[in-house]
Amino acid sequence: MTNEEIRLAGPADVPRVKAVTDAAYHHYIERIGVVPQPMERDHAAAVTEGRVYVTGDPVTGLVVVEERADHLYLDNIAVHPDAQGTGVGGRLLRFVDAHARALGLPEVRLYTNALMWENQKIYPKYGYEVVERRVDGPYDRIHYRKRLG
């Protein structure tokens, strides 16, 4: 597998999916005051359900998606800190768009913590627009959508 390919994750990828997710989100714990939800997800279940796509050998980036009736929900995008700034995240976001289109879905939705300001600079560059800001328990979230034309 080349580093450019994005493929469906398999059971052998679960430890690396967890490691990449933890590495990508760990620095946010102090900033937001709680463990980011992607770090607490059941990665094995998401892989078994066919919702995780990975890139790199070893895995350096991943997305977790969920098909909904009227959109594709991007539950998690994580890039290992060693690979950040190399285009992995952009490739993953373009993959999500293509995946949604292949499923016949008109848009992609996601949210990010309001204190993860880096993300608020990235998503608009890829065509995402803010839909709302909402507090869910300890999480202050900014919700985005991208309409696919």
Side-chain angles (χ1 to χ4, degrees):
M1 178 175 86
T2 69
N3 202 36
E4 298 294 316
E5 294 174 340
I6 297 171
R7 63 174 173 79
L8 191 61
D13 295 308
V14 172
R16 189 68 183 162
V17 166
K18 177 168 179 29
V20 169
T21 301
D22 288 352
Y25 285 92
H26 188 267
H27 71 281
Y28 289 122
I29 295 171
E30 185 175 344
R31 187 187 305 173
I32 67 175
V34 293
V35 174
Q37 283 190 328
M39 293 176 71
E40 296 183 323
R41 296 274 197 257
D42 184 340
H43 303 291
V47 167
T48 299
E49 293 163 3
R51 299 188 311 110
V52 182
Y53 293 84
V54 297
T55 189
D57 186 12
V59 173
T60 57
L62 62 105
V63 290
V64 181
V65 296
E66 183 178 321
E67 184 179 353
R68 305 260 174 102
D70 61 348
H71 68 279
L72 186 66
Y73 171 60
L74 175 52
D75 183 47
N76 181 18
I77 179 167
V79 177
H80 193 279
D82 293 344
Q84 290 176 2
T86 65
V88 172
R91 275 194 290 116
L92 289 166
L93 286 171
R94 288 187 295 277
F95 168 81
V96 169
D97 291 353
H99 188 59
R101 285 185 180 101
L103 294 170
L105 297 171
E107 69 182 38
V108 177
R109 297 182 191 169
L110 62 88
Y111 60 76
T112 190
N113 191 290
L115 294 176
M116 295 180 182
W117 52 78
E118 301 89 341
N119 298 341
Q120 295 170 52
K121 295 176 184 174
I122 294 169
Y123 295 129
K125 290 179 182 178
Y126 288 89
Y128 286 85
E129 61 182 339
V130 174
V131 175
E132 70 176 324
R133 183 172 178 169
R134 185 172 67 223
V135 175
D136 296 311
Y139 301 99
D140 182 4
R141 296 178 170 149
I142 299 175
H143 293 254
Y144 290 86
R145 76 172 167 208
K146 179 177 183 179
R147 292 185 175 140
L148 304 172

